Amino acid sequence: MTIVIVDYEVGNFRNVQRAFEKINTETIISSDPDVISSAPAIVLPGVGAFRTAMDNIERLELDSVLNNRAAVGTPILGICLGMQLLAKTSTEGGGLRKGLGLLPMEVEQLSVQNTDLRLPHIGWNNISVSPNSQLFQGIETPDPDFYFVHSFRVIPTDASIISAICSYGNDFVCAAEWGSIFAVQFHPEKSQQYGREVLKAFAEISQTSSSA
Amino acid sequence: MLKARVIPCLDVKDGRVVKGINFVDLRDAGDPVEQARIYDAAGADELCFLDITASSDNRDTIFDVVRRTAEQCFMPLTVGGGVRSVDNVRDLLLSGADKVAINTAAVHRPELVREAAEKFGSQCIVIAVDAKSTGPGRWEVFTHGGREPTGIDAVAWARKMETLGAGEILLTSMDRDGTRQGFDIPATQTIADALSIPVIASGGVGNLDHLVAGIRKGHASAVLAASIFHFGEHTIGDAKAHMAAAGIPVRL
């Protein structure tokens, strides 16, 4: 099984690939709709701006491909901006931009009003994991630290997708799971041992799914 | 809760560490990759590479160093020194840097900051501000590794960089750098309080209390140090334990 890391021309895909190499999981980086159409599992990484990313995804005609894969239950993991792209809409960059709409959630700026907190939210922050979460099953501590770099966050319209919460001024949802769709706001590829556990869990889910 | 970050910094010249760890068990003390691996294992929150290669002919070596380091390290990596253009930023990011620090080029052409932030996102654009005191409550921006005065007020400059899209400010005190007398706390606090983006305090760390002061009194989000870690006086773990004992949230 080879996981496909979607290259939509924004962000640093090699670092995600290296982290998978570290846990002996094969990946390829591709922006080819045909390759992604037959992927057993998909990672949507990303840093940068929502609008540019969605524009690229639509230009590369990957939106319908990703929708089709989601519909047939292919495991998909969105990381950071990749998590936000799975949402229905985002307010980043002004106005409302349509996302992939694969998870029932919307993207808005982190709320740090009436606090002395800074934006972007940069650095290591502990999260609080839901007991039933699949992505965090390899982590024993209930409040592991992960590396975050972001100014926007998702707001679920269906609370059942929440798999972890982080607190920065206010609580926000930093991980979501819904059927075969997974999303994390932090960077597992930069979060040392806990990050590796999250990627390992996704690789195992993908393996089980592709051999089913 | 967000943790205060402890960031060791390596000076790299022609692909080799010139000021780095002097541990006896290193197979090759000049290999940045090996030093990065040690800091990764020690629980450093990020790593900073400062490329001090004088000749522009040797720029390619830093890409190779970044690439090899990124193969080994699973913490964020900031690379600075000699970044002149959006293409330089892109090349460093593609090599595996998570953030790129810009100093001199931003002074020459501030629009570079906006262009780079729009293209790659603010989160990967760090503006390195080298500041020198010019009187009580006043600091001036220097470029070219602290050699060239610019006449620019450091506080106003940091604000402008934030407006143009910088994600973080790496503030180094030219008065304190290398003195081991501690951060320039008034400069750090004044600039941190003037901004809403995070500030990394740098320059002058000689003991672990200095790290505490940088966060507590300087209002920095992260502390950067070189020699106290490199010469084995203190480990990353010592630094974090000391900060935790002072009541600062750190990742242990």
Side-chain angles (χ1 to χ4, degrees):
Chain A
M1 180 208 56
T2 303
I3 295 174
V4 177
I5 298 171
V6 181
D7 173 4
Y8 52 94
E9 299 169 1
V10 183
N12 202 335
F13 310 110
R14 261 301 280 158
N15 284 343
V16 175
Q17 184 168 50
R18 287 186 187 106
F20 275 110
E21 278 166 18
K22 193 81 178 172
I23 56 164
N24 303 313
T25 300
E26 240 178 82
T27 59
I28 52 164
I29 297 173
S30 177
S31 56
D32 183 344
D34 291 339
V35 172
I36 298 164
S37 291
S38 56
I42 296 167
V43 174
L44 199 57
V47 291
F50 189 96
R51 259 166 207 280
T52 315
M54 276 311 299
D55 289 350
N56 290 357
I57 284 174
E58 288 171 359
R59 180 170 44 78
L60 295 163
E61 296 177 354
L62 300 179
D63 46 338
S64 59
V65 175
L66 290 167
N67 268 288
N68 292 341
R69 295 314 293 168
V72 298
T74 303
I76 298 177
L77 172 65
I79 295 173
C80 194
L81 178 62
M83 172 187 209
Q84 298 177 8
L85 295 172
L86 299 175
K88 288 182 209 156
T89 56
S90 172
T91 57
E92 187 183 343
L96 210 58
R97 178 66 168 93
K98 203 167 148 285
L100 291 166
L102 298 181
L103 285 175
M105 57 191 195
E106 291 156 1
V107 181
E108 284 184 23
Q109 191 163 35
L110 275 166
S111 147
V112 293
Q113 285 93 343
N114 308 317
T115 73
D116 56 359
L117 296 173
R118 294 163 190 277
L119 283 184
H121 173 218
I122 300 183
W124 297 80
N125 204 332
N126 57 295
I127 70 169
S128 162
V129 174
S130 301
N132 299 330
S133 150
Q134 294 185 69
L135 279 186
F136 301 98
Q137 55 192 332
I139 298 172
E140 283 176 12
T141 172
D143 61 342
D145 285 307
F146 286 93
Y147 190 80
F148 289 85
V149 184
H150 64 124
S151 297
F152 284 74
R153 52 76 152 94
V154 303
I155 301 174
T157 50
D158 175 348
S160 70
I161 69 169
I162 299 170
S163 68
I165 299 282
C166 180
S167 180
Y168 189 64
N170 296 289
D171 286 354
F172 70 91
V173 174
C174 67
E177 303 182 10
W178 204 46
S180 62
I181 318 274
F182 301 83
V184 292
Q185 182 60 62
F186 51 79
H187 286 276
E189 77 279 13
K190 287 285 155 185
S191 295
Q192 294 178 343
Q193 78 275 28
Y194 293 137
R196 281 197 285 273
E197 289 299 332
V198 167
L199 297 179
K200 206 185 280 177
F202 181 71
E204 279 163 16
I205 291 161
S206 305
Q207 187 68 53
T208 309
S209 157
S210 71
S211 53
Chain B
M1 181 179 271
L2 184 67
K3 309 301 193 294
R5 286 169 281 157
V6 176
I7 308 174
C9 182
L10 299 174
D11 285 351
V12 179
K13 188 179 182 187
D14 299 324
R16 305 283 292 170
V17 177
V18 291
K19 199 169 87 180
I21 318 168
N22 275 2
F23 295 153
V24 282
D25 56 348
L26 279 182
R27 278 165 303 186
D28 178 358
D31 181 9
V33 180
E34 187 161 2
Q35 302 216 357
R37 193 190 294 134
I38 286 175
Y39 281 126
D40 192 41
D45 294 313
E46 291 184 24
L47 187 66
C48 184
F49 269 7
L50 201 54
D51 180 23
I52 57 167
T53 305
S55 158
S56 54
D57 304 341
N58 285 329
R59 287 290 297 161
D60 285 349
T61 57
I62 195 70
F63 299 130
D64 176 56
V65 166
V66 170
R67 203 173 296 117
R68 289 188 297 119
T69 302
E71 302 280 349
Q72 298 295 333
C73 285
F74 299 92
M75 61 181 160
L77 175 63
T78 300
V79 182
V83 177
R84 298 270 175 268
S85 64
V86 167
D87 282 351
N88 288 161
V89 175
R90 191 200 55 212
D91 290 345
L92 285 170
L93 293 175
L94 285 176
S95 301
D98 297 287
K99 310 185 212 183
V100 172
I102 309 174
N103 176 3
T104 304
V107 173
H108 286 163
R109 203 170 69 79
E111 278 303 304
L112 170 64
V113 178
R114 187 198 299 278
E115 290 163 17
E118 276 174 5
K119 189 141 192 180
F120 310 109
S122 290
Q123 82 291 330
C124 63
I125 306 301
V126 179
I127 299 302
V129 177
D130 291 349
K132 202 168 191 168
S133 173
T134 53
R138 293 193 61 82
W139 298 271
E140 182 179 341
V141 175
F142 277 65
T143 58
H144 297 86
R147 293 189 301 275
E148 301 277 330
T150 63
I152 300 170
D153 175 69
V155 182
W157 175 248
R159 275 212 201 91
K160 180 175 180 178
M161 292 296 100
E162 176 178 73
T163 308
L164 287 176
E168 265 182 310
I169 298 290
L170 167 57
L171 175 67
T172 302
S173 164
M174 290 291 105
D175 302 301
R176 294 302 181 92
D177 201 29
T179 65
R180 303 176 62 90
Q181 291 174 359
F183 297 120
D184 181 337
I185 294 298
T188 309
Q189 193 205 78
T190 303
I191 289 175
D193 289 354
L195 303 179
S196 62
I197 56 175
V199 171
I200 304 164
S202 156
V205 174
N207 63 49
L208 300 181
D209 286 332
H210 292 154
L211 302 177
V212 173
I215 303 288
R216 267 285 143 72
K217 297 183 185 156
H219 301 168
S221 301
V223 284
L224 181 141
S227 53
I228 63 159
F229 298 131
H230 300 332
F231 301 122
E233 279 166 64
H234 298 288
T235 64
I236 298 290
D238 293 342
K240 290 188 172 186
H242 194 80
M243 292 165 77
I248 294 172
V250 289
R251 182 177 67 107
L252 294 169

